[in-house]
Amino acid sequence: MSRKEILTLALLIAVMPPAWAVISPYLGNTVGPVALITAGIYGANGNKWEDAHKMALGFLAGDIWAYAVTVIMSVTPFNADLTLFAVLAVFGFLAVVISQSLPSFFNMPAWLAGWAIGMLAMNLDKVTPLMSLTAQIGAAMLVGVYYVGALIDKIHHIINK
């Protein structure tokens, strides 16, 4: 990467993600940093625009998986450890089978990462209503892929042409 490319990327990173960090709470999103995680995963995938939609759907599927597991765990009458193991095993198996059966729709690593991100946020925040938190996580995931990830990459390419 040339010096100009490094500096323009640094400037974009210095402005756009912090703008999201400042504005996200005003938009009612308490999990703004999720966008940085998903943007990082998008970048680790090579900033491939052709994969953005599959990654976004994978992250959202993982968010839904996290919601479902959280609901199941909150109502289980059985041993929590055994139930958690069984639920994670079944959901993990299904995530792999579904994403690999529909690779044009879902990115499997994004699904699994989205699930982990969602579970972490839901385990840490016991105050926000679960449905609201799920929506906030999903919104932040989309911001990460499309705003912090893809848009910065597109602007960076345009500036450096």
Side-chain angles (χ1 to χ4, degrees):
M1 200 180 282
S2 73
R3 180 173 165 84
K4 177 187 174 189
E5 291 171 325
I6 292 169
L7 291 175
T8 56
L9 180 59
L11 182 61
L12 289 167
I13 295 295
V15 173
M16 294 177 71
W20 165 250
V22 169
I23 199 167
S24 62
Y26 292 102
L27 299 173
N29 195 306
T30 62
V31 290
V34 165
L36 302 177
I37 299 167
T38 57
I41 295 168
Y42 175 80
N45 189 57
N47 291 317
K48 297 177 192 167
W49 173 251
E50 62 272 13
D51 288 348
H53 308 309
K54 295 187 297 187
M55 294 190 80
L57 286 175
F59 286 130
L60 294 176
D63 187 29
I64 292 166
W65 248 223
Y67 172 80
V69 169
T70 302
V71 169
I72 291 167
M73 292 308 299
S74 72
V75 298
T76 185
F78 306 110
N79 177 284
D81 292 334
L82 293 176
T83 303
L84 181 61
F85 178 84
V87 170
L88 294 178
V90 170
F91 276 68
F93 179 88
L94 290 172
V96 171
V97 170
I98 294 167
S99 63
Q100 292 301 293
S101 298
L102 300 168
S104 60
F105 291 100
F106 298 105
N107 175 283
M108 183 186 68
W111 189 327
L112 297 173
W115 184 20
I117 293 163
M119 291 295 299
L120 176 63
M122 291 173 194
N123 283 325
L124 292 175
D125 183 344
K126 300 294 186 188
V127 177
T128 306
L130 188 57
M131 189 59 76
S132 173
L133 185 58
T134 303
Q136 291 178 50
I137 293 166
M141 289 173 166
L142 294 177
V143 167
V145 172
Y146 293 112
Y147 171 73
V148 180
L151 183 60
I152 286 177
D153 188 53
K154 293 285 185 197
I155 293 170
H156 185 245
H157 280 93
I158 290 168
I159 291 172
N160 289 292
K161 275 190 174 183

